[in-house]
C-alpha cells in the first residue's frame, strides 16, 4: 500500500544542539535503510520549514505505524498520513 506522509519536526527549544545532532544522525541512517529496501520510496523537503512529504510503500497501516514510531525524531513530530489508491486516469504502471 502507498501512503503520503507529511512530517513536521519541532524539537524542544531547550534541547542541546549536540543531542539534536546525534538524533538527526540516527534518523538519517534509519531513513536511508528504509529507502534502500524500497519502503520509503520518496522524500521531499517543504521549502522554508522543518518538514517533509514522503511516499511509503508498505504492507499496511500497522507496518507504517511501526516505521513512523521507530523514527528517532518521532517524539518531536506532528504527522499526517494519507492512504493512496491508483487513479483511473494514470498511465499504466504509475
Amino acid at each position: 500500500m502507498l501512503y503520503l506522509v507529511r512530517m513536521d519536526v519541532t524539537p524542544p527549544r531547550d534541547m542541546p544542539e549536540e543531542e539534536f545532532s546525534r538524533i538527526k544522525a540516527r534518523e538519517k541512517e534509519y531513513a536511508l535503510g528504509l529507502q534502500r529496501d524500497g519502503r520509503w520510496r520518496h522524500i521531499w523537503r517543504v521549502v522554508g520549514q522543518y518538514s517533509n512529504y514522503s511516499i511509503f510503500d508498505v504492507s499496511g497501516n500497522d507496518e507504517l505505524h511501526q516505521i513512523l514510531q521507530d523514527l528517532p525524531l518521532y517524539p518531536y513530530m506532528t504527522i499526517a498520513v494519507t492512504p493512496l489508491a491508483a487513479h483511473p486516469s494514470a498511465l499504466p504502471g504509475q
Side-chain angles (χ1 to χ4, degrees):
M1 292 184 66
L2 294 177
Y3 295 89
L4 172 67
V5 179
R6 179 177 172 133
M7 293 176 249
D8 299 298
V9 180
T10 308
R13 292 181 188 266
D14 61 347
M15 178 181 284
E17 184 57 39
E18 290 176 3
E19 180 182 351
F20 191 48
S21 293
R22 283 193 299 273
I23 295 170
K24 288 190 296 185
R26 289 192 347 255
E27 179 94 3
K28 183 174 182 175
E29 284 305 310
Y30 180 62
L32 289 172
L34 292 166
Q35 290 173 65
R36 287 184 186 107
D37 73 20
R39 291 183 287 171
W40 197 327
R41 299 256 308 258
H42 301 280
I43 183 170
W44 297 274
R45 274 187 181 167
V46 177
V47 176
Q49 299 175 32
Y50 198 159
S51 305
N52 74 73
Y53 279 103
S54 295
I55 301 290
F56 287 86
D57 188 356
V58 295
S59 62
N61 297 336
D62 292 334
E63 183 180 8
L64 179 63
H65 183 76
Q66 190 61 56
I67 286 170
L68 296 175
Q69 266 197 321
D70 288 345
L71 290 165
L73 286 170
Y74 178 80
Y76 315 111
M77 289 182 175
T78 301
I79 298 173
V81 176
T82 304
L84 300 174
H87 194 284
S89 297
L91 292 171
Q94 287 190 334

